[in-house]
Amino acid sequence: AAAAEAEAEAEAGGAGGRAAAMASTRNVHNEQDREAWIGIQRKTFSRWANQYLPADSKIENLVADLADGLVLSRLLAKISGETVGRVNKNPRMDIQKLENLNQCLDFIKQHDIPLVNIGSSDILKGNEKLVLGLLWTIILRFEVAGADGKAGLLLWLQRSTKGYAGVEVKDFTSSWKDGLAFHALIHRYRPDLVQNFDSLQAVEALSNCDSAFAIAEEHLGIARLLDPEDVVNSPDEKSQVAYLSQFFKLFASQAKLDSKLKAVNNAVEVTRRHDEWSAQYEAVSQKVLKEAQSKCGWLEKEEALSTTAQVKEALDAFDQYMKETKPALAAQRAEAEGVHTTLVSSKRNNNRPEFVPQVSLEEIVRAWDQLEQDEQGYERKMLDKFLAFQMADHAVSKFNAKSATVRAWLDEKVALFAAAETGSSVPEVEANLEVHTAFENRYALHATVLDDLRALSTKAGAVEGHAGGQKVLQEMEQLATRMEEVKAAGQAHREKLEAALEAEKTLQDKVKDYLRRVDNLDFQADKLEETVKTSDEGATAAEMLDVEESKAAFGQEVDAAERETESLQQLAEEIASKKPDAVEHCKQQKDRLASIRSAMEERCANLSALRTEEQKRDELSRQFADLASAFNEFCDAKNNALGSLTGSLEEQKESLGKLREEVVGEGGSGMQQLAALNSASEACDEANIVANRHTTHTIYSLRSEHEQLVKAVKRSEEAVQAQLIAQKSLEIPPERLREIQETFNVFDVDGDGKLKLSEVKEACLGAGIDLEDDELEARMRARKPDMIFTLDDFIAFFLAEIQSGDSKEDVVAALETVAGGDANIEADKLRSTFSPLSQDLAEYLVANMAGGDYRAFVDQIFSR
């Protein structure tokens, strides 16, 4: 009976049927086994067919429901995706049913499925053995890629369950009886559905099978074609092949879809990075432009400053701006330039449209150049004003010192002339005349001082805006007026004295000579004392040098005054009876001149140290300025290098590594220059240099410039690395490549290193690639017209099937797959498809794919 049944099945299924019949001959030993076999296949094949059939065509009685050809035609149309042909929709007569069945059999033959010794009458009459054989043949053709496809399916199942404890798949029957292999298969591709595999026990076979079938039905949408009891007690190969092929179709298609989803993910990640960088650049660039323009207005505004203290306060505020505000603004500018460079490079590398910002780099550069021009102009203007005000202060100080002596003398003479005393005796009158002569001599001397004072007041008053300069001009005019008044009063007083001189002609010549000479000496001593008491605060190095160079002449004047004192001391001793205080006065004058000489020595010594310090400060300023200029050129050159990176991503990565080493490496030029700048800046600080007149750069702005350059290099490296990772995510792992080679070798039975179409079909199954026969044939012919694949051909074919690029066309193709033929993709479908890959990506797609229009969405993201 078993042999007869196997023969009938062979007639129904052709080559595939004969192969299956040989297996059945070995397995069917008695009537009881036969009935069990038929019952299991009847249930499994009915359930398998029902998962494809509409609700109004579900099979309840397999043989009877297929007899009119309607259900069979609908089944064939669904699993093939084609039209079976013209079928009678309401067959009542046998002839109509036979026509329907003949139409179905012709359709099967057209798909290269050989049918032997089975006709429409066999199906109409309900020959169950032939009906089951026919369905098995259909399953093999459309689910397992042909009669020999079981080998490929078995290889795929073995690889999918490899490494699981207690699982060793050798066939489609006994290897699955304890249910562990079903759980291992599900866990391999959906580990979230089987979280307790290690706790499963082989002795609980029924429970294991039931839970695996339930998981597959509930979470994977795979119909429960098998009953646990059948699998455990009497597993049927055909039934289990039909069931296990559903897992292959699901997981193989999902693997292909996952590859395509990566293309969407990569493209979206690029766009999101571009959006982030674009927003960052727009925000920072607009802020930099606005701040630069605002600071230009501040620097160009004229300030009403009238004192050196006010100018110093303005310079301090400018220095604070250059130390704190400007470096922060420079950092923002560098950030904008760095982000712009990174964005432009990434867009170029990813074939995206050119970045057109609201504020161009050229606008920022122009505004920045104007700002630095205004800064230099402002600092130069304020430094010039500061130096001019210091000069004016010095002149005012000298004016006040000199004018104080003149005022005191004028006050004394005004009081004297106001008293109008001429004397009551000849000696008194003569004495008064001598005093008046001394006044006239002193007046002439003070007139020369008045010229000096006028020069000082003119010098101070010439400094525009200096309050002290205007004041001394007014005081100078008042002093000149008083001098004229005193001169007139003195002339009048002389006339009065001369009128009373009649008895005064015998005045001792020596007293007269003494008074004249000692008065000159006193004046000379006063003048020398004024010189040594003059303040050097605010004096320039040149003025200090003038004072030092006049030291010798000053010493000669003191020598002359001391000689005159010695001479007068002898004269004073001779006139001691008439001028008792003369000797003491000469002694005091001698001490005074010694003190003046000592004070001048001390002043010159101090001036030498001050001038040396000033020269040192100027040299330190120049050294820092030279280093700053070189470092600024270095940073500009490296920023330009960042913006002009070319070549492959690997070449760009190598170039960035070298650039980073130059910028931040211990032996790199950047760190060496920065260390030298730090030392130079510390030297300037120790020298108390307030403003460096040789450069606008500060150590703070240069550090900030270097920090921003480092950040720009890092951003560029991260961008290139992200693109490299995106590329490498599409490459095939080495272990996967080994599996492909092993698969090729398994189906290269004759060992000639070549696979023909039928062998490639099986190899695709073993490698987890699910393709329709006509699609596989078309792709194989496109690659090799002779329809023969070598190992290299098969690897290239496999890579093309599992990998997906991230070009615009790749992303559209991936989303077309997700859409499944629909024009739009619903939000729920986007979430269910992309959430396993990335929840964030899924929500981004939902939020940005308006109305589910994926083509418009792709156009949008590739425009940025």
Side-chain angles (χ1 to χ4, degrees):
E5 187 175 85
E7 185 178 351
E9 184 182 341
E11 292 174 353
R18 286 192 296 276
M22 291 175 66
S24 296
T25 302
R26 292 191 298 269
N27 294 329
V28 180
H29 303 294
N30 52 52
E31 187 65 24
Q32 185 178 0
D33 288 342
R34 174 183 174 279
E35 289 302 324
W37 165 68
I38 291 176
I40 292 171
Q41 289 190 8
R42 185 187 304 118
K43 285 189 298 182
T44 303
F45 293 173
S46 295
R47 292 172 182 172
W48 172 81
N50 282 338
Q51 69 180 337
Y52 293 110
L53 291 170
D56 60 350
S57 300
K58 298 294 186 184
I59 295 175
E60 296 180 2
N61 185 315
L62 181 63
V63 175
D65 290 342
L66 294 182
D68 62 2
L70 275 179
V71 173
L72 182 58
S73 66
R74 290 172 182 168
L75 176 62
L76 290 171
K78 181 64 176 179
I79 62 176
S80 68
E82 303 174 17
T83 302
V84 173
R86 186 174 181 180
V87 177
N88 194 313
K89 304 297 183 183
N90 189 24
R92 297 182 180 278
M93 297 181 293
D94 287 350
I95 187 63
Q96 294 173 324
K97 296 177 182 179
L98 288 171
E99 289 176 353
N100 287 349
L101 290 168
N102 283 326
Q103 190 70 35
C104 293
L105 295 177
D106 289 341
F107 178 83
I108 291 171
K109 293 175 183 177
Q110 290 168 6
H111 283 75
D112 298 327
I113 304 175
L115 297 174
V116 182
N117 295 331
I118 183 171
S120 55
S121 60
D122 296 316
I123 303 173
L124 180 62
K125 293 175 181 179
N127 187 324
E128 188 171 30
K129 296 189 300 294
L130 295 180
V131 170
L132 291 173
L134 176 63
L135 284 175
W136 171 241
T137 302
I138 293 172
I139 290 171
L140 285 177
R141 169 59 180 82
F142 290 103
E143 300 282 52
V144 197
D148 296 326
K150 290 193 299 179
L153 177 61
L154 182 60
L155 178 62
W156 178 79
L157 292 170
Q158 289 171 334
R159 286 185 172 163
S160 298
T161 56
K162 184 179 180 180
Y164 285 88
V167 176
E168 185 177 5
V169 175
K170 298 179 179 180
D171 50 37
F172 294 103
T173 53
S174 59
S175 300
W176 304 84
K177 292 178 67 174
D178 58 13
L180 295 181
F182 289 110
H183 280 279
L185 180 60
I186 295 172
H187 183 271
R188 171 70 69 186
Y189 297 101
R190 288 293 303 273
D192 56 308
L193 300 181
V194 181
Q195 299 179 358
N196 60 339
F197 179 84
D198 293 336
S199 65
L200 298 174
Q201 301 296 322
V203 295
E204 299 175 355
L206 281 174
S207 175
N208 293 341
C209 289
D210 184 64
S211 60
F213 297 164
I215 291 171
E217 184 173 33
E218 181 179 351
H219 297 286
L220 303 178
I222 295 177
R224 187 189 284 252
L225 302 185
L226 304 176
D227 288 332
E229 296 80 4
D230 295 334
V231 175
V232 174
N233 298 324
S234 53
D236 175 63
E237 183 180 61
K238 296 176 183 177
S239 300
Q240 299 206 170
V241 167
Y243 183 58
L244 291 169
S245 65
Q246 305 301 301
F247 287 93
F248 170 79
K249 292 185 67 176
L250 173 67
F251 292 140
S253 61
Q254 184 61 47
K256 189 173 183 179
L257 176 61
D258 288 345
S259 176
K260 292 186 176 182
L261 298 187
K262 286 183 181 179
V264 178
N265 183 56
N266 290 341
V268 168
E269 282 186 354
V270 169
T271 298
R272 295 178 78 173
R273 284 200 304 272
H274 289 179
D275 289 346
E276 179 183 345
W277 290 334
S278 177
Q280 182 182 359
Y281 173 80
E282 295 293 3
V284 176
S285 63
Q286 292 181 25
K287 184 176 181 181
V288 169
L289 183 63
K290 182 178 178 181
E291 284 295 315
Q293 292 172 341
S294 171
K295 295 307 177 187
C296 284
W298 169 60
L299 294 170
E300 292 169 358
K301 182 180 179 181
E302 290 292 336
E303 297 181 79
L305 305 176
S306 59
T307 67
T308 306
Q310 290 176 337
V311 177
K312 179 63 166 58
E313 184 178 346
L315 275 171
D316 288 343
F318 179 76
D319 182 60
Q320 192 75 7
Y321 157 77
M322 291 299 290
K323 286 181 177 179
E324 297 179 3
T325 306
K326 179 65 182 300
L329 190 59
Q332 291 176 339
R333 177 202 173 186
E335 178 185 353
E337 291 176 342
V339 171
H340 186 278
T341 297
T342 302
L343 179 56
V344 169
S345 175
S346 182
K347 277 180 167 279
R348 182 174 62 244
N349 290 334
N350 288 283
N351 296 318
R352 297 297 176 88
E354 181 182 355
F355 177 51
V356 183
Q358 296 179 16
V359 177
S360 67
L361 277 182
E362 289 73 17
E363 290 181 83
I364 294 178
V365 169
R366 285 196 297 272
W368 194 264
D369 290 344
Q370 183 62 49
L371 175 61
E372 292 196 330
Q373 181 180 337
D374 288 351
E375 287 170 350
Q376 293 170 7
Y378 179 83
E379 185 179 36
R380 184 71 271 155
K381 177 181 71 176
M382 296 307 294
L383 284 173
D384 289 345
K385 184 175 289 242
F386 182 74
L387 295 174
F389 273 34
Q390 276 192 327
M391 179 196 71
D393 287 344
H394 188 57
V396 169
S397 175
K398 292 175 70 175
F399 177 89
N400 290 335
K402 287 178 177 291
S403 65
T405 302
V406 175
R407 284 195 192 92
W409 181 78
L410 287 174
D411 290 342
E412 177 188 344
K413 298 310 172 187
V414 167
L416 175 66
F417 296 152
E421 294 182 0
T422 60
S424 59
S425 63
V426 171
E428 289 180 354
V429 175
E430 287 179 345
N432 287 335
L433 275 172
E434 289 295 331
V435 170
H436 192 75
T437 300
F439 154 75
E440 291 174 338
N441 290 335
R442 177 65 68 90
Y443 184 90
L445 294 173
H446 277 307
T448 63
V449 173
L450 200 67
D451 292 338
D452 293 341
L453 289 173
R454 192 178 300 280
L456 288 172
S457 66
T458 300
K459 184 178 182 180
V463 178
E464 183 180 356
H466 191 277
Q470 298 303 313
K471 183 178 179 182
V472 297
L473 283 174
Q474 296 173 0
E475 291 179 356
M476 182 65 229
E477 293 303 319
Q478 294 171 359
L479 196 61
T481 300
R482 290 195 68 193
M483 283 287 287
E484 290 298 323
E485 291 173 350
V486 168
K487 181 180 180 182
Q491 182 63 36
H493 189 62
R494 169 170 280 284
E495 291 173 358
K496 290 179 182 180
L497 288 172
E498 287 177 348
L501 188 60
E502 295 176 3
E504 301 277 339
K505 295 181 180 178
T506 59
L507 187 63
Q508 298 175 359
D509 292 338
K510 289 184 179 181
V511 172
K512 184 188 300 182
D513 182 52
Y514 171 81
L515 291 175
R516 178 182 60 77
R517 289 171 62 191
V518 81
D519 192 60
N520 288 339
L521 179 62
D522 287 347
F523 176 81
Q524 185 66 19
D526 288 344
K527 186 176 180 182
L528 292 172
E529 194 170 55
E530 286 177 9
T531 300
V532 299
K533 288 183 177 180
T534 300
S535 172
D536 294 310
E537 182 180 356
T540 64
E543 289 175 328
M544 294 179 190
L545 184 61
D546 289 342
V547 173
E548 288 186 84
E549 291 176 347
S550 67
K551 177 182 176 182
F554 182 88
Q556 292 173 359
E557 290 183 29
V558 174
D559 291 342
E562 287 178 337
R563 287 193 298 271
E564 179 68 5
T565 302
E566 291 290 340
S567 177
L568 282 173
Q569 190 169 10
Q570 294 177 359
L571 185 59
E573 290 174 353
E574 294 176 3
I575 63 171
S577 59
K578 293 187 177 294
K579 193 71 175 171
D581 61 340
V583 173
E584 182 62 25
H585 180 77
C586 288
K587 183 179 180 181
Q588 292 173 353
Q589 199 71 299
K590 187 176 182 179
D591 293 341
R592 182 184 181 192
L593 288 171
S595 176
I596 289 172
R597 183 188 296 277
S598 176
M600 187 61 178
E601 291 290 340
E602 182 180 354
R603 181 187 180 194
C604 287
N606 292 337
L607 278 175
S608 178
L610 285 174
R611 184 166 57 81
T612 300
E613 184 64 24
E614 181 64 24
Q615 290 172 342
K616 178 182 177 183
R617 286 155 55 88
D618 188 69
E619 179 61 25
L620 289 173
S621 297
R622 289 182 184 276
Q623 289 175 1
F624 179 85
D626 293 341
L627 290 171
S629 177
F631 186 69
N632 179 252
E633 291 176 2
F634 169 80
C635 291
D636 286 344
K638 300 312 169 190
N639 273 313
N640 291 335
L642 277 178
S644 59
L645 286 175
T646 57
S648 67
L649 290 176
E650 288 292 349
E651 291 171 339
Q652 290 183 38
K653 180 180 179 182
E654 182 180 356
S655 297
L656 285 170
K658 293 178 180 177
L659 192 62
R660 174 169 41 76
E661 186 61 30
E662 288 185 65
V663 174
V664 297
E666 291 186 4
S669 176
M671 295 305 293
Q672 291 178 352
Q673 290 187 57
L674 193 59
L677 278 167
N678 283 324
S679 298
S681 177
E682 289 173 2
C684 289
D685 290 341
E686 290 174 359
N688 197 28
I689 298 174
V690 177
N692 192 328
R693 67 187 67 189
H694 301 297
T695 181
T696 60
H697 297 296
T698 67
I699 189 62
Y700 308 102
S701 65
L702 294 169
R703 286 173 183 166
S704 175
E705 187 174 4
H706 183 258
E707 288 171 3
Q708 294 307 314
L709 175 59
V710 172
K711 290 179 181 178
V713 172
K714 183 178 180 182
R715 275 194 301 269
S716 296
E717 285 186 312
E718 289 174 349
V720 171
Q721 185 63 28
Q723 294 169 50
L724 283 170
I725 290 173
Q727 281 187 355
K728 291 182 178 179
S729 68
L730 299 176
E731 295 177 359
I732 186 167
E735 59 272 15
R736 187 62 164 147
L737 183 60
R738 285 195 297 272
E739 286 186 4
I740 300 172
Q741 293 171 329
E742 290 172 2
T743 301
F744 182 90
N745 293 334
V746 167
F747 294 99
D748 180 20
V749 180
D750 54 9
D752 63 351
K754 298 177 181 179
L755 298 182
K756 56 182 180 292
L757 177 60
S758 61
E759 292 170 326
V760 171
K761 288 181 183 179
E762 296 181 70
C764 284
L765 277 174
I769 299 175
D770 183 25
L771 290 174
E772 297 294 336
D773 286 352
D774 54 351
E775 186 178 5
L776 173 60
E777 183 175 352
R779 295 189 186 184
M780 189 173 178
R781 192 178 300 279
R783 287 182 173 275
K784 296 296 292 290
D786 61 357
M787 300 294 286
I788 298 295
F789 270 9
T790 63
L791 175 59
D792 289 342
D793 296 329
F794 185 69
I795 291 174
F797 169 77
F798 182 85
L799 291 177
E801 290 303 314
I802 67 168
Q803 290 183 340
S804 175
D806 52 8
S807 67
K808 183 176 181 180
E809 294 73 17
D810 294 325
V811 177
V812 170
L815 290 174
E816 280 179 344
T817 302
V818 176
D822 294 334
N824 301 315
I825 307 175
E826 297 294 333
D828 289 343
K829 192 166 187 179
L830 285 172
R831 288 192 176 96
S832 63
T833 302
F834 287 94
S835 291
L837 179 63
S838 167
Q839 183 68 37
D840 178 59
L841 173 61
E843 294 305 324
Y844 179 87
L845 293 172
V846 170
N848 291 274
M849 194 180 293
D853 187 346
Y854 62 88
R855 293 185 182 276
F857 168 75
V858 174
D859 287 339
Q860 182 206 18
I861 66 170
F862 275 87
S863 68
R864 306 200 300 275

